């Protein structure tokens, strides 16, 4: 197996790094002397909590990743024993010794730096832990990417399991919100301008409906994404001999993964699907969060995000209660979107092996998982602490009733005049009112064409936003039925 050589990039001389740096220990020193960790915001002890969830930190922990590689090596040995390819005592010993805490992690890290190979130093540590007989059967016939891709599939499974539970929790909270406000009338806005009456319950049902499709996508992706990789150096499985296909089945069975039809060392659509689907879901979370942020504005005041006595909105404006949780969900979505480009770039590879894609995936898969689960957690917390001001919603709807009920006038008049003629009359009236700053209701109630088509007895009712909610409640019921919500 050829080691993957790392390109050595020359660093500037230490003299170039002479700017003073202040670390947590209070000392001032040159950057060249700094040995403090957590240089990425994801790993920051002070700010990382807004970017990565504890669950994904555990999944993608560097020690956990190495242990997962060892787990795959152990599963390979046991599967090879299952099909009679290697002695079972050797496989059992490999399984027993494939435990990271018993190994020298610093020596492994030094070995990766020295050899430029991501796996061999770990294999050497496992070989050193085994007897001379067993060590000969470690990593028998596999290539590095077989182990690492299979381990990544296990990581993806852990992420999907965690996200599935988190998404169900969010959907349950949203379903309760939609049910509670199925009749809470409010202004529907298109292009940010008041449009027609709607209900807050229907708005939330729209978020739920979109998230349900993402849940379906994530569940359907499992059969395509969660597969083993065990096809040898160039995908022929030649090193495994005639027992190659039974071995593949046994290997997958031991790990609880599916069997692909062919090797996917350079066919990275599975990983791109995972990254893209998580990014899409996170974008939906951001749409909902941003809507809450907008409705939380004081000049709208239809919802209010939760706040605790310990929170601070501004260092200079003491009255501020900023919807930073909502904003952070949008940040997560934008960061998740950036990972999709990396995942798509990782699909364009050469021949039978190309590590440029794998190394991109190591970043993209972990990062999109952090961002998606963090966004889910943030939005769940936001919804849990949300106060819905139904009175303000209705008040705003009544304040704009002149405008948002105009569609109802068009279709009321259409019975006598036809839809196009009725629309032209109302269009003329409403545009003139906006130009001349005249109340629409005043102009409509004084127009003889409207009175002739509507009649005075219907005018007041047509200006009631509550009367024009259409099938909103029925649509909410349909969505809640898909969630499994029961009133």
């Amino acid at each position: 197996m050829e080691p993957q050589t790392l390109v050595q990039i020359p660093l500037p001389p230490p003299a170039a790094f002479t700017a003073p740096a202040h670390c947590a220990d209070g000392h001032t020193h040159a950057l060249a002397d700094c040995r403090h960790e957590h240089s990425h915001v994801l790993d920051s002890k002070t700010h990382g909590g807004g970017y990565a969830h504890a669950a994904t930190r555990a999944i993608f922990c560097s020690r956990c990743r190495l242990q997962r590689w060892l787990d795959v090596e152990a599963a390979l040995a046991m599967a090879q024993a299952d099909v009679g390819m290697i002695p079972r005592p050797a496989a059992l010993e490999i399984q027993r010794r494939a435990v990271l805490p018993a190994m020298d992690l610093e020596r492994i890290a030094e070995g990766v730096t020295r050899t430029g190979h991501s796996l061999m130093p770990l294999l050497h540590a496992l070989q050193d832990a085994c007897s001379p007989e067993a060590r000969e059967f470690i990593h028998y016939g596999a290539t590095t990417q077989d182990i690492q891709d299979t381990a990544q599939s296990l990581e993806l499974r852990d992420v999907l399991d965690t996200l599935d539970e988190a998404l169900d929790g969010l959907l349950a909270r949203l379903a309760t919100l939609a049910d509670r406000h199925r009749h809470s009338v409010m202004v529907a806005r298109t292009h940010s301008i008041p449009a027609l009456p709607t209900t807050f319950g229907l708005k939330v049902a729209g978020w739920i409906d979109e998230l349900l499709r993402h849940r379906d996508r994530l569940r359907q992706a499992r059969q395509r994404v969660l597969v083993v990789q065990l096809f040898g150096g160039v995908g022929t499985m030649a090193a495994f001999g005639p027992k190659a296909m039974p071995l593949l089945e046994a290997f997958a069975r031991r790990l609880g993964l599916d069997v692909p039809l062919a090797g996917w060392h350079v066919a990275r659509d599975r990983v791109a699907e995972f990254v893209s689907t998580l990014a899409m879901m996170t974008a939906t979370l951001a749409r909902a969060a941003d809507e809450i942020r907008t409705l939380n504005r004081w000049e709208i005041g239809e919802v209010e995000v939760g706040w605790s006595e310990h929170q601070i909105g501004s260092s200079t404006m003491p009255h501020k209660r900023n919807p930073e949780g909502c904003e952070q969900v949008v940040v997560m979505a934008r960061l998740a979107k950036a990972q999709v480009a990396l995942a798509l770039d990782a699909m364009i590879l050469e021949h039978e092996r190309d590590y440029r894609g794998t190394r991109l995936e190591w970043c993209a898969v972990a990062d999109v998982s952090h961002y998606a689960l963090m966004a889910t957690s943030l939005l769940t917390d936001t919804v849990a602490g949300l106060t819905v001001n139904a009175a303000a919603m209705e008040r705003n709807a009544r304040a704009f009733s002149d405008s948002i009920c105009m569609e109802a006038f068009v279709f009321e008049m259409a019975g006598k005049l036809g839809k196009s003629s009725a629309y032209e009359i109302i269009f003329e009236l409403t545009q003139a009112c906006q130009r001349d700053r005249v109340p629409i209701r005043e102009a409509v109630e004084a127009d003889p064409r409207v009175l002739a088509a509507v009649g005075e007895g219907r005018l007041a009712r047509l200006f009631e936003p509550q009367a024009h909610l259409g099938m909103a409640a029925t649509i909410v019921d349909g969505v809640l039925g898909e969630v499994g919500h029961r009133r």
Side-chain angles (χ1 to χ4, degrees), residues 125-366:
L126 179 56
Q127 289 169 344
D128 291 343
C130 290
S131 66
E133 295 78 18
R135 73 192 309 270
E136 298 298 332
F137 297 103
I138 293 172
H139 199 68
Y140 196 77
T143 194
T144 296
Q145 199 172 344
D146 286 339
I147 304 304
Q148 293 174 343
D149 278 351
T150 301
Q152 182 168 264
S153 291
L154 296 175
E155 291 172 346
L156 302 189
R157 184 175 65 189
D158 288 349
V159 171
L160 291 175
D161 288 346
T162 306
L163 192 56
D164 198 43
E165 182 178 352
L167 190 53
D168 281 349
L170 173 59
L171 286 168
R173 288 192 179 277
L174 289 173
T176 298
L177 195 64
D179 190 10
R180 184 179 300 151
H181 293 283
R182 62 176 55 244
H183 301 303
S184 297
V185 66
M186 68 179 298
V187 176
R189 300 167 176 90
T190 61
H191 304 280
S192 78
I193 304 298
L196 296 170
T198 187
T199 69
F200 186 63
L202 182 60
K203 182 185 290 289
V204 176
W207 303 341
I208 295 171
D209 182 44
E210 191 170 343
L211 288 172
L212 286 173
R213 289 193 293 278
H214 291 315
R215 187 175 69 174
D216 288 343
R217 290 184 182 102
L218 290 169
R219 291 177 176 177
Q220 292 163 5
R222 287 174 176 265
Q223 62 182 346
R224 292 185 293 273
V225 171
L226 303 182
V227 298
V228 295
Q229 178 87 279
L230 190 65
F231 291 86
V234 297
T236 63
M237 305 181 76
F240 298 124
K243 295 181 178 180
M245 300 316 290
L247 170 63
L248 185 63
E249 295 281 350
F251 182 59
R253 187 166 54 250
R254 280 192 168 271
L255 292 168
L257 297 172
D258 286 335
V259 177
L261 294 175
W264 47 285
H265 292 128
V266 288
R268 311 309 292 184
D269 58 291
R270 291 180 172 90
V271 182
E273 179 180 1
F274 173 86
V275 174
S276 300
T277 304
L278 263 62
M280 287 173 60
M281 188 205 75
T282 311
T284 298
L285 300 175
R287 180 173 77 85
D290 211 45
E291 182 78 359
I292 292 172
R293 181 190 65 85
T294 300
L295 299 179
N296 183 77
R297 289 175 174 173
W298 283 11
E299 60 269 31
I300 297 177
E302 294 178 350
V303 302
E304 183 178 352
V305 296
W307 196 260
S308 76
E309 61 182 26
H310 304 294
Q311 286 181 263
I312 298 174
S314 169
S315 63
T316 185
M317 296 171 284
H319 69 283
K320 296 296 294 296
R321 290 187 171 187
N322 300 329
E324 292 192 21
C326 296
E327 293 173 339
Q328 189 67 6
V329 174
V330 176
V331 170
M332 295 297 96
R334 289 171 176 166
L335 288 170
K337 179 186 74 172
Q339 309 314 307
V340 177
L342 297 180
L344 294 178
D345 279 342
M347 292 181 65
I348 308 171
L349 304 175
E350 288 183 349
H351 305 304
E352 281 66 50
R353 186 77 66 81
D354 187 341
Y355 252 44
R356 291 175 300 174
T358 302
R359 298 299 167 83
L360 284 175
E361 288 176 359
W362 284 7
C363 296
V365 166

Side-chain angles (χ1 to χ4, degrees), residues 400-415:
F400 291 105
S401 63
D402 288 15
S403 300
I404 66 177
C405 293
M406 287 300 98
E407 182 189 68
F409 273 84
V410 169
F411 285 95
E412 179 74 16
M413 296 166 62

